[in-house]
Each structure stands twice: as structure tokens, then as C-alpha cells.
């Protein structure tokens, strides 16, 4: 039927629809990590399965899993494999978790001893259903590692425990060599990136840990590429330095799947180097900054740079 827009005899422009699948853009060389292969990788995977343990390396799709596992370093994740929060960046499964397994810390320590680790990194999902129980599990795993793997330094990457000071005190009183809590992003993006978390709460946790024990080595990690500005990142660095944070890690956000927040931009290695230079000037005892840097990447080297003696 003729219309005013298309009178009889008028030509109609055709729109070409490309149905061919689009090839994803290739990653730059600085984002390419070695595929997980090798005897140590398979042995560690078998060990974790035999002890019914989870690693954040697998659950969070860490790009460094091949390198780290080949060197017999892994970050064990306690309190199950289901998180009570729905952060927009994280690949760990979300939902209603099972009851806390208080035998899990013993099994984690057994794995640490079996691997002969000298620096163990332990993290967990958020357990907003049982904050104090989660804190007690961290205290127990520190004690178990000291029993089963004497001489092994323990780094714990803890959730915010909803800001409950009693929970933070339980972990600090267990005296881990490094207490890590990731800030993750800038305040403006918290609602989308860290659902259920508060920027001020995370800063206060790191500050309170120092108040409880000034000798506690504290650490925090930040992601780049979620839509923040460079100045916003630097402001977070300043905030972390102001509460006495000793170690800072900065890495590129990589989207785990289409269900997660999109990546706003890629930072170049030169930009990460510039961020490190600025952070070092702020007084951190160690700064790890690079495209593939994650919170526990080269953790033993980070700790050693602060004065902890780590045996290799």
C-alpha cells in the first residue's frame, strides 16, 4: 500500500542484515595467560577434589590458574561455593548456601601441608547468613595450618562481615600474617559492582584491623576498567593509604560472562605502571599493578616485600 512516505514507484532502501556470527576481538598480548596444563596442575586439582575443597582460582575463573597451580600455589575458598551476595563482577555462584562446614578448615590445612606451602592464601564467599560463624572458620583455619604446616605463613582474604567488629576481632586475634580485604572499585560504582557492600565499611574494616593490632599487615585490591576515571582510582589509593594499608594490588577487570558487568576499557601495561608509581608515592609498602594482577597473584612475594620472611 502506497503511503506519503513511500509513494508509488518510489525506491526503497534495503537494510542488509549480517547473520554471520561475530568473531570476538582478539586479546592483546598482555592479557594472554598460559593455559592450565602440567602435572602439578592436575595433582592440585585432584587433591582439592579428594578433600572436597573449592579454590577461588576455579570458581572466579582466574586467568593465572595455569601459572599459579603449576607452582603449587592456590587460593582455597572456604564456607562453601555459594555466595549470599550478587556482585556484578564476580563469577562465584550465588544463592542460598549450605550450613557452614566447620571441618573444612582442617581439610584446607591438610591440603596446605600436603602441598608443602610456605605461604597459604585463604578466602571465602560472603556468608551474610552467619557472619560470626564465617569469622570463626577463618580463625580455625589459621590455627589448623599452624598445627599441620608449621612455619607456613597465612594470608586471609576476608569479606566485610557486614562491618561487625566482633567478627573482625575474631580474625585479627588469630594473628594471620596478612589480612586482606578487597575494596574492588571506586565509591561511585559500588551499587552495581559490589551489591550489598559499602565503600566506607571496607575502609573501616582495614582501619579497625590496624587499631586492634598495629603489627597486622593489611592489604587491599582494586580492579580497573569498570568505568571509573583515573582520578577516582587514585582517590581510592589515597583512602587506603590513609588507613595504613600496607599492600595494594591493581588489576584489569575481565568480564567472566555476558551475565556480568561489561568491561568499560582496557588499561595498557604502561598505564598500570603509572598507577603503581603514583601509589608508591602514597606510602604503600608494596604495590602490585598489572593487567593480570589479582589479589593473591605472587602473594608470597608481596608479603616478603613488607618484611615477612617467606621461605621458598
Amino acid at each position: 500500500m502506497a503511503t506519503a512516505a513511500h509513494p508509488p514507484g518510489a525506491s526503497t532502501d534495503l537494510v542488509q542484515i549480517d547473520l554471520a556470527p561475530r568473531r570476538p576481538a582478539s586479546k592483546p598480548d598482555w592479557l594472554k595467560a598460559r593455559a592450565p596444563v602440567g602435572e602439578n596442575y592436575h595433582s592440585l586439582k585432584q587433591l582439592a577434589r579428594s578433600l572436597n575443597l573449592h579454590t577461588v582460582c576455579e570458581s572466579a575463573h582466574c586467568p593465572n590458574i595455569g601459572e599459579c597451580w603449576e607452582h603449587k600455589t592456590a587460593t582455597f575458598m572456604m564456607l562453601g561455593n555459594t555466595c549470599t551476595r550478587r556482585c556484578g563482577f564476580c563469577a562465584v555462584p550465588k544463592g542460598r548456601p549450605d550450613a557452614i562446614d566447620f571441618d573444612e578448615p582442617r581439610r584446607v590445612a591438610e591440603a596446605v601441608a600436603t602441598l608443602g606451602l610456605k605461604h597459604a592464601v585463604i578466602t571465602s564467599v560472603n556468608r551474610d547468613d552467619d557472619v560470626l560463624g564465617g569469622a570463626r572458620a577463618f580463625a580455625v583455619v589459621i590455627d589448623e595450618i599452624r598445627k599441620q604446616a608449621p612455619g607456613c605463613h597465612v594470608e586471609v582474604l576476608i569479606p566485610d562481615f557486614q562491618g561487625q567488629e566482633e567478627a573482625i576481632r575474631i580474625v585479627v586475634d588469630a594473628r594471620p600474617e596478612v589480612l586482606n580485604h578487597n575494596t574492588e572499585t571506586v565509591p561511585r560504582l559500588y551499587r552495581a559492582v559490589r551489591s550489598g557492600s559499602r565503600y566506607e565499611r571496607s575502609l573501616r574494616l582495614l582501619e579497625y584491623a590496624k587499631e586492634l593490632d598495629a603489627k597486622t599487615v593489611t592489604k587491599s585490591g582494586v580492579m580497573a576498567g569498570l568505568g571509573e576515571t583515573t582520578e577516582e582510582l587514585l582517590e581510592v589509593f589515597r583512602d587506603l593509604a590513609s588507613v595504613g594499608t600496607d599492600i595494594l594490588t591493581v588489576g584489569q577487570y575481565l568480564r567472566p560472562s555476558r551475565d556480568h558487568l561489561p568491561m568499560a576499557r582496557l588499561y595498557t601495561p604502561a598505564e598500570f605502571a603509572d598507577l603503581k608509581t603514583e601509589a608508591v608515592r602514597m606510602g604503600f609498602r608494596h604495590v602490585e599493578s598489572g593487567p593480570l594482577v589479582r589479589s593473591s597473584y605472587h602473594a608470597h612475594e608481596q608479603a616478603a616485600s613488607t618484611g615477612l620472611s617467606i621461605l621458598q
Side-chain angles (χ1 to χ4, degrees), residues 236-249:
V236 171
F237 298 174
R238 294 185 193 102
D239 287 344
L240 290 170
S242 72
V243 297
T245 307
D246 298 290
I247 302 172
L248 173 68
T249 62

Side-chain angles (χ1 to χ4, degrees), residues 52-55 59 77-83 92 97-101 104 123-127:
N52 191 28
L53 299 176
H54 302 286
T55 67
S59 296
M77 188 171 71
M78 299 196 310
L79 308 181
N81 193 40
T82 304
C83 188
V92 174
D98 296 328
I100 293 177
D101 175 6
E104 187 179 46
T123 188
S124 78
V125 294
N126 280 284
R127 291 301 300 256

Side-chain angles (χ1 to χ4, degrees), residues 76-251:
F76 291 99
M77 188 171 71
M78 299 196 310
L79 308 181
N81 193 40
T82 304
C83 188
T84 56
R85 297 189 190 174
R86 297 183 178 275
C87 297
F89 70 93
C90 184
V92 174
K94 286 82 173 169
R96 184 187 298 275
D98 296 328
I100 293 177
D101 175 6
F102 283 100
D103 183 59
E104 187 179 46
R106 180 195 61 78
R107 302 196 306 274
V108 169
E110 181 180 339
V112 168
T114 300
L115 291 169
L117 300 185
K118 295 301 180 183
H119 187 93
V121 183
I122 314 299
T123 188
S124 78
V125 294
N126 280 284
R127 291 301 300 256
D128 293 334
D129 59 316
D130 190 353
V131 170
L132 293 181
R136 285 193 291 270
F138 273 104
V140 172
V141 79
I142 294 167
D143 183 59
E144 283 288 340
I145 290 173
R146 298 248 163 83
K147 290 177 181 176
Q148 297 192 44
C152 178
H153 286 177
V154 184
E155 175 175 330
V156 292
L157 171 53
I158 62 174
D160 64 21
F161 297 130
Q162 295 183 335
Q164 291 193 28
E165 292 188 347
E166 182 180 354
I168 301 168
R169 185 183 299 108
I170 288 171
V171 179
V172 173
D173 285 351
R175 298 188 180 278
E177 274 70 27
V178 179
L179 187 142
N180 185 359
H181 174 68
N182 286 338
T183 317
E184 304 292 13
T185 190
V186 303
R188 178 174 59 85
L189 300 177
Y190 248 60
R191 183 180 296 273
V193 177
R194 296 197 69 194
S195 175
S197 302
R198 301 290 182 272
Y199 179 73
E200 295 77 11
R201 183 193 295 168
S202 289
L203 281 181
R204 176 56 186 158
L205 184 156
L206 293 162
E207 181 179 46
Y208 185 56
K210 284 288 191 181
E211 292 175 1
L212 291 171
D213 185 351
K215 295 181 180 179
T216 301
V217 175
T218 55
K219 173 178 172 181
S220 192
V222 181
M223 296 178 291
L226 280 158
E228 72 292 326
T229 66
T230 300
E231 181 52 40
E232 283 179 312
L233 279 178
L234 294 178
E235 191 60 36
V236 171
F237 298 174
R238 294 185 193 102
D239 287 344
L240 290 170
S242 72
V243 297
T245 307
D246 298 290
I247 302 172
L248 173 68
T249 62
V250 189

